[in-house]
């Protein structure tokens, strides 16, 4: 791979490039800039796990705490073969900006374990999770750092995190982790929250651009937690989902895909998305370049790059994944006049309901789904308005506006706290 392309695909550099641009436009003082640029702490753990064969395997895990300026660290745990410290570092910083954009009282963190969860048995997965959590238990906690699900992890894994931490603390501490099952202090609406947040942003954007929702063509790449829930909710709201993809391939159907049936096919019947009857079969990447009104990349990072951004054919790009568009692709997308809902705003519905879960756990009183959804809608709509207003009044694109709103909030908190010693 050419060096330029490799640099472009380094998510840490992509995240940093946006931070640098926003910090320069904001006129951030040098000291504050340096403080925010680096994480507070990076932890690497080597996790010995007894496999079902009886052999010991050692996995590498990370937890990066980027900032606790506005509150405890918050961020998911990713189980995937290609997890790297650079990636976790970038994702931790993004969490700081994401929590600040939607103005919830958290800092940013992220974790990951290099493993392939599909190849691990359930008991091996449980042992990896428990040992990873135990190794980090001094640094986690409802007031310190609160994990959540991300790629390759789910509510069962969060339940094991909660149990392991609680065993060490000698009491049940549900608020140490979010995205838990409902029976264990989880929140109504958390499962759909990221997808719902994306839809709320799309509703705002279509209204702003004078687009009709009925018949509005949407393509969603990624059919996991974020992509499948976003597709289902948007389908129910009257959008027409014309394209969908997972890691193994994609589908395109101009007339619209039967999303409730596809949801069932993938999530309940556990069948491959690409074998769903009807529509044109495409590669997972190719689906991004079919014509649509709204494109929702909700799979992994680095999907839209300087090499392919010219092929994107939509009016609204609403980012469900973290970092689906590289920094080098940003100017190409901007020149095409595409209205961008950047990841740190678009997918913030997940962390917003994680915050609501943490609040409910700490108060020991749980809300109905309607109430959770109302809070979420309020936060997302307000944040969308703030970002777009900033972009329009300061003549910057939506992504840089979101970063500026976020960085400014963290900088103000930092100045109020001052520098200890
Ligand atoms: P997931 O593991 O549930 O689903 C990922 C989906 O992407 C799967 O359908 C998978 O097959 C697909 N995929 C993987 N590689 C692909 C590729 N190369 N091309 C096309 N599809 C591919 O993960 P998730 O929780 O849905 O997270 C998806 C993205 O959203 C990630 O970037 C994650 O960081 C981000 N995110 C998740 C949440 C959340 O609440 N889960 C919140 C904010 C952001």
């Amino acid at each position: 791979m050419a060096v330029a392309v490799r640099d472009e695909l380094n998510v840490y550099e992509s995240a940093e490039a946006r931070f640098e641009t926003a910090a320069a436009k904001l006129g951030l003082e040098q000291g504050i800039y340096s403080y925010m640029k680096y994480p507070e702490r990076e932890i690497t753990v080597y996790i010995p796990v007894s496999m079902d064969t009886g052999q010991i395997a050692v996995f590498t895990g990370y937890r990066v705490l980027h900032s606790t300026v506005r509150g405890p660290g918050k961020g998911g745990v990713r189980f995937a073969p290609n997890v790297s410290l650079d990636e976790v570092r970038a994702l931790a910083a993004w969490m700081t900006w994401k929590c600040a954009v939607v103005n919830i009282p958290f800092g940013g963190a992220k974790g990951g374990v290099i493993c392939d969860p599909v190849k691990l048995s359930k008991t091996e997965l449980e042992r990896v999770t428990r040992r990873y959590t135990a190794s980090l238990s001094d640094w986690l906690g409802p007031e310190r750092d609160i994990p959540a699900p991300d790629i390759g992890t789910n509510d069962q894994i969060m339940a094991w995190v909660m149990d392991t931490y609680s065993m060490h603390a000698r009491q049940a501490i549900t608020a140490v982790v979010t995205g838990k099952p409902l029976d264990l202090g989880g929140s109504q609406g958390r499962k759909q929250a990221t997808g719902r947040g994306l839809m709320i942003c799309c509703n705002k954007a279509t209204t702003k651009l004078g687009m009709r929702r009925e018949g509005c063509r949407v393509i969603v790449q990624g059919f996991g937690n974020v992509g499948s829930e976003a597709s289902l909710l948007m389908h129910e709201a009257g959008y027409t989902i014309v394209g969908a993809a997972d890691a193994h391939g994609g589908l395109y159907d101009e007339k619209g895909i039967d999303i409730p049936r596809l949801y069932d096919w993938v999530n309940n019947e556990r069948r491959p998305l690409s074998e769903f009857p009807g529509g044109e079969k495409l590669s997972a990447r190719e689906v991004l370049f079919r014509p649509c009104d709204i494109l929702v990349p909700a799979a992994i990072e680095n999907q839209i790059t300087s090499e392919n951004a010219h092929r994107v054919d939509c009016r609204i790009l609403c980012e469900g994944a973290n970092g689906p568009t590289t920094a080098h692709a940003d100017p190409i997308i901007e020149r095409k006049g595409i209205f961008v809902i950047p990841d740190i705003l678009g997918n913030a519905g997940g962390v917003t309901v994680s915050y609501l879960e943490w609040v409910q756990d700490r108060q020991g009183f749980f809300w109905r789904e309607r109430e959770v959804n109302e809070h979420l809608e309020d936060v997302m709509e307000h944040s969308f308005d703030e970002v777009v207003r900033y972009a329009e009044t300061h003549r910057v694109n939506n992504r840089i506006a979101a970063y500026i709103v976020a960085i400014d909030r963290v900088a103000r908190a930092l100045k109020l706290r001052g520098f200890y010693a």
Side-chain angles (χ1 to χ4, degrees):
M1 197 185 286
V3 173
V5 177
R6 208 171 52 223
D7 287 350
E8 176 177 356
L9 301 188
N10 181 315
V11 278
Y12 184 65
E13 288 183 17
S14 239
E16 203 166 49
R18 276 76 171 251
F19 171 73
E20 304 266 345
T21 308
K25 286 208 188 285
L26 192 59
L28 204 61
E29 298 153 40
Q30 183 58 40
I32 304 237
Y33 162 87
S34 306
Y35 185 86
M36 286 186 185
K37 188 173 152 86
Y38 299 104
E40 286 177 18
R41 181 185 297 136
E42 295 180 351
I43 305 163
T44 301
V45 290
Y46 297 96
I47 312 162
V49 173
S50 174
M51 306 301 279
D52 292 348
T53 56
Q55 289 190 314
I56 304 290
V58 180
F59 296 87
T60 306
Y62 306 107
R63 186 78 189 167
V64 174
L65 195 61
H66 175 258
S67 170
T68 53
V69 170
R70 299 180 78 248
K74 186 84 193 81
V77 180
R78 183 171 283 198
F79 282 4
N82 57 353
V83 163
S84 69
L85 186 54
D86 253 4
E87 180 188 63
V88 176
R89 199 183 275 141
L91 290 162
W94 271 326
M95 285 306 297
T96 302
W97 314 133
K98 194 183 298 185
C99 293
V101 154
V102 290
N103 208 2
I104 56 178
F106 287 141
K110 201 80 182 187
V113 177
I114 305 174
C115 67
D116 188 346
V118 179
K119 293 196 179 136
L120 296 175
S121 70
K122 190 170 177 197
T123 48
E124 288 168 342
L125 203 54
E126 178 173 354
R127 288 195 288 273
V128 170
T129 306
R130 287 190 182 281
R131 188 66 191 239
Y132 172 72
T133 309
S135 307
L136 293 173
S137 65
D138 283 347
W139 292 285
L140 301 180
E143 313 293 340
R144 290 196 185 115
D145 181 5
I146 308 140
D150 193 69
I151 292 177
T153 56
N154 57 21
D155 57 348
Q156 173 60 74
I157 291 178
M158 298 308 114
W160 291 327
V161 171
M162 178 268 167
D163 182 66
T164 307
Y165 183 82
S166 297
M167 285 293 134
H168 282 249
R170 299 270 181 252
Q171 55 181 317
I173 302 183
T174 51
V176 65
V177 62
T178 60
K180 299 180 297 294
L182 282 177
D183 288 326
L184 204 61
S187 175
Q188 296 286 351
R190 174 62 185 88
K191 185 162 166 266
Q192 297 83 8
T194 311
R196 187 176 294 281
L198 288 167
M199 179 180 71
I200 295 167
C201 288
C202 290
N203 291 348
K204 291 285 289 180
T206 47
T207 303
K208 181 173 173 51
L209 301 178
M211 293 160 67
R212 275 170 48 87
R213 209 167 296 161
E214 287 70 29
C216 185
R217 297 161 306 156
V218 181
I219 292 177
V220 182
Q221 188 206 39
F223 212 74
N225 176 268
V226 179
S228 68
E229 299 298 340
S231 300
L232 191 59
L233 287 166
M234 291 182 79
H235 170 86
E236 286 165 1
Y239 293 92
T240 305
I241 315 298
V242 294
D246 70 5
H248 308 290
L251 295 173
Y252 183 78
D253 189 343
E254 271 185 346
K255 297 191 297 299
I257 299 169
D258 181 350
I259 291 294
R261 179 79 193 91
L262 180 63
Y263 185 95
D264 213 40
W265 177 277
V266 173
N267 291 331
N268 301 328
E269 296 170 24
R270 305 256 155 226
R271 295 159 83 168
L273 179 145
S274 55
E275 287 174 20
F276 188 70
E280 182 192 349
K281 310 291 179 229
L282 298 167
S283 74
R285 181 71 69 102
E286 207 49 35
V287 79
L288 293 170
F289 311 119
R290 289 297 154 121
C292 62
D293 299 300
I294 304 181
L295 180 63
V296 184
I300 53 168
E301 51 266 12
N302 293 335
Q303 295 303 288
I304 301 171
T305 68
S306 60
E307 289 186 344
N308 64 29
H310 64 281
R311 297 183 59 210
V312 170
D313 185 2
C314 63
R315 282 193 73 190
I316 297 171
L317 173 63
C318 181
E319 296 180 335
N322 287 307
T325 311
T326 67
H328 291 245
D330 280 347
I332 304 169
I333 295 291
E334 192 169 355
R335 277 199 297 278
K336 287 171 81 95
I338 294 172
F339 186 90
V340 176
I341 302 167
D343 48 8
I344 58 171
L345 171 66
N347 70 29
V351 75
T352 301
V353 176
S354 274
Y355 162 59
L356 300 177
E357 179 176 333
W358 178 79
V359 169
Q360 291 169 85
D361 284 338
R362 284 164 29 119
Q363 69 184 4
F365 180 73
F366 290 82
W367 303 322
R368 300 209 175 139
E369 186 171 353
R370 180 180 42 79
E371 203 168 341
V372 172
N373 289 347
E374 274 171 18
H375 281 303
L376 172 64
E377 195 166 339
D378 194 45
V379 169
M380 294 305 296
E381 290 193 347
H382 185 73
S383 309
F384 179 97
D385 286 341
E386 274 190 316
V387 167
V388 172
R389 198 179 317 119
Y390 193 98
E392 288 174 354
T393 48
H394 293 82
R395 297 184 177 283
V396 292
N397 65 43
N398 289 345
R399 190 187 307 282
I400 295 304
Y403 271 81
I404 292 179
V405 167
I407 294 170
D408 193 34
R409 265 189 195 131
V410 180
R412 285 206 308 270
L414 186 54
K415 283 185 197 155
L416 286 168
R417 285 182 67 156
F419 289 88
Y420 175 69

